[in-house]
């Protein structure tokens, strides 16, 4: 039995969405029921009292990161608790309370979701027993959401009573999704728009260091990102009252993750996708980053100039190529979407971005070891970089243990 182009196109339209995000779940364990649940503007918070606490006493507020759709706080719990290091249990064991903050729509503007964090901070102050200072921060995009929320509260004269602000592998100077992946997402938009819609969402355009809205576009800084940076500037860029700390899932010594520039990461093998080849980002001029062919006969080319070899840079990694390949290979073989996937991951949050030390603009910006002097000049009072390149926002004993030492 064979299928025609129309049948293959219909199958791609009906396929599950391709979404770049953490997960999927790797355990059947479910989180314990929260001590309290707060309904907030544009979101929800799950509250877990610390050991020995009968109410909210020493709150640690943690904002969710980027994806599509409402926050999955079950998955958030799994990532923070059931990975290499049980961060939530350790926080609670010390008599501190965990407040997990989720959003109605994770791809909405950072400025929009900051309203949820601001409301959670206000509610924590109202519900708290005693006067112990708050800790407020987040993982990935959550570090930017909480950064803006606290700074805006200060600008508006609102008390946040946060003694510590933390960000955990948050892209302060921009995140990176390979142009090849962005181009593929937009190329298949007429058949399955979910991937393209994620890349073009408000939050994505605010986060990404370089973005394309259509597969034929030149990579650049999205106007939405420029608006976000202006909004940060209007509130002083950073919260001034709390101590500020940052964590990076990449090393300071310039060691990359081993991904070579300009090599094939996803290669089409099935009849419906033969001719497609997505490459890691090269550093040169007019370099090929993608060949695109999905169902139709023509093969299109995507070329870039002046971008650094960022896929292999030190920093937190994302299985972006792997997520796409797995989604295509999960379709029935008869449909012809089989691909090979020699490279599964790429740098997502460069280490220099996670601690706001440099723009990730050139090879030297990304790979030159960070000096002690540079580390002292970041906007943070203290930073902690991983001894190796880890999965983006991975909770390790090395990093999470350091964070615990910073809590008031």
């Amino acid at each position: 039995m064979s299928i025609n182009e129309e049948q293959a196109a219909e199958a791609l339209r009906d396929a599950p969405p391709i979404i770049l995000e953490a997960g999927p779940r790797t355990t059947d364990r479910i989180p314990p029921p929260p001590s309290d649940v707060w309904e907030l503007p544009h979101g929800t918070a799950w509250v877990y009292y610390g050991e020995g606490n009968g109410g909210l006493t020493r709150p640690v507020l943690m904002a969710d990161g980027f994806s599509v759709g409402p926050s999955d706080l079950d998955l958030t719990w799994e990532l923070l608790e059931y990975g290499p290091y049980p961060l939530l249990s350790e926080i609670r064991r010390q008599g501190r309370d965990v407040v997990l903050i989720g959003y109605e729509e994770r791809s909405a503007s950072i400025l929009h979701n900051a309203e949820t964090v601001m409301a959670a901070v206000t509610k924590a102050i109202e519900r708290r027993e005693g006067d112990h200072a708050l800790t407020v921060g987040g993982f990935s995009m959550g570090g930017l959401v909480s950064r803006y929320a606290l700074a805006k509260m200060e600008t508006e004269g609102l008390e946040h009573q946060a003694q510590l602000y933390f960000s955990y592998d948050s892209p302060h100077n921009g995140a990176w999704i390979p142009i090849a992946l962005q181009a593929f997402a937009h190329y298949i938009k007429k058949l399955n728009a979910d991937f393209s819609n994620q890349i073009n969402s408000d939050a994505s355009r605010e986060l990404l260091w370089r973005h394309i809205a259509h597969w034929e576009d030149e990579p650049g800084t999205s106007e939405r990102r420029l608006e976000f940076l202006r909004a940060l500037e209007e509130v002083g860029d950073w919260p001034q009252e709390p101590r500020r700390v940052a964590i990076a899932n990449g090393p300071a010594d310039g060691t990359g993750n081993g991904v070579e520039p300009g090599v094939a990461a996803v290669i089409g093998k099935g009849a419906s996708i033969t001719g497609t080849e997505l490459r890691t980002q090269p550093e040169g001029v007019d370099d090929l980053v993608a060949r695109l062919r999905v169902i139709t006969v023509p093969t299109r080319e995507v070329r870039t100039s002046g971008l650094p070899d960022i896929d292999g840079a030190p920093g937190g990694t994302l299985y972006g190529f792997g997520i796409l390949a797995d989604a295509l290979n999960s379709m029935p073989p008869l449909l012809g979407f089989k691909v090979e996937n020699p490279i599964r991951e790429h740098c997502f949050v460069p280490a220099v971005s996670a601690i706001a030390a440099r723009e990730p603009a050139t090879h030297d910006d990304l790979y030159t070891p960070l000096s002690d002097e540079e580390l002292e000049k970041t906007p943070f009072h203290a930073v902690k970089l991983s001894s190796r390149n880890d999965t983006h926002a991975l909770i390790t004993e090395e990093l999470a243990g350091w964070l615990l030492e910073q809590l008031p």
Side-chain angles (χ1 to χ4, degrees), residues 52-344:
N53 296 346
L56 195 69
T57 306
R58 303 169 71 188
V60 179
L61 282 69
M62 302 176 169
D64 196 13
F66 171 70
S67 186
V68 172
S71 290
D72 181 352
L73 293 181
D74 285 317
L75 178 58
T76 299
W77 181 280
E78 176 180 324
L79 295 173
L80 299 182
E81 178 68 10
Y82 298 142
Y85 186 76
L87 175 60
L88 303 184
S89 289
E90 287 301 309
I91 290 174
R92 298 176 70 199
R93 186 179 62 81
Q94 296 179 359
R96 295 183 170 93
D97 314 299
V98 169
V99 181
L100 300 179
I101 305 170
Y103 323 116
E104 290 177 352
E105 178 51 63
R106 287 171 287 179
S107 68
S109 169
I110 293 170
L111 309 181
H112 178 79
N113 283 330
E115 296 176 11
T116 306
V117 174
M118 293 169 66
V121 169
T122 299
K123 188 171 287 288
I125 294 171
E126 294 172 350
R127 298 287 182 89
R128 179 190 52 190
E129 299 174 356
D131 58 0
H132 195 277
L134 275 61
T135 293
V136 181
F139 302 84
S140 189
M141 183 186 75
L144 292 174
V145 176
S146 52
R147 168 185 164 186
Y148 180 79
L150 293 178
K152 186 176 183 182
M153 293 183 80
E154 291 177 2
T155 301
E156 295 182 351
L158 302 173
E159 283 194 23
H160 57 59
Q161 298 187 23
Q163 187 173 324
L164 181 73
Y165 158 73
F166 77 91
S167 69
Y168 199 114
D169 214 37
S170 301
H172 294 288
N173 287 357
W176 172 255
I177 295 296
I179 299 302
L181 281 174
Q182 295 189 49
F184 184 87
H186 302 319
Y187 193 73
I188 65 168
K189 183 173 183 177
K190 289 184 179 179
L191 300 174
N192 190 317
D194 296 296
F195 195 5
S196 177
N197 290 343
Q198 182 189 25
I199 298 297
N200 282 341
S201 67
D202 288 349
S204 177
R205 288 181 290 154
E206 291 166 352
L207 289 169
L208 289 177
W209 176 68
R210 291 294 180 264
H211 172 264
I212 57 174
H214 185 272
W215 71 268
E216 294 180 292
D217 286 352
E218 290 286 331
T221 306
S222 169
E223 180 57 36
R224 188 86 199 191
R225 176 163 177 78
L226 295 175
E227 291 174 2
F228 169 62
L229 295 176
R230 287 193 291 268
L232 273 175
E233 186 177 2
E234 289 172 1
V235 296
D237 277 322
W238 301 90
Q240 301 301 312
E241 295 172 12
R243 183 168 180 263
R244 301 183 296 271
V245 301
I247 287 170
N249 279 108
D253 65 5
T255 301
N257 59 34
V259 174
E260 296 292 330
V263 297
V266 178
I267 306 165
K269 292 296 181 180
S272 296
I273 202 169
T274 298
T276 286
E277 181 178 291
L278 308 184
R279 298 185 177 185
T280 60
Q281 183 61 49
E283 194 182 6
V285 176
D286 195 33
D287 274 327
L288 180 70
V289 295
R291 291 190 178 97
L292 304 172
R293 182 198 158 264
V294 180
I295 300 174
T296 55
V297 174
T299 298
R300 311 294 189 183
E301 290 191 348
V302 177
R303 294 178 175 271
T304 62
S305 296
L307 294 178
D309 49 342
I310 189 171
D311 287 322
T317 60
L318 180 71
Y319 288 95
F321 292 119
I323 290 170
L324 172 61
D326 290 349
L328 295 172
N329 285 332
S330 69
M331 299 177 69
L334 184 64
L335 298 175
F337 289 101
K338 179 177 175 56
V339 298
E340 291 183 357
N341 181 210
I343 296 174
R344 294 184 59 79

Side-chain angles (χ1 to χ4, degrees), residues 3-25:
I3 63 169
N4 57 34
E5 290 183 2
E6 183 177 343
Q7 290 171 315
E10 182 179 357
L12 187 57
R13 280 192 292 268
D14 294 339
I18 300 167
I19 301 296
L20 301 183
E21 62 180 352
R25 289 196 179 93

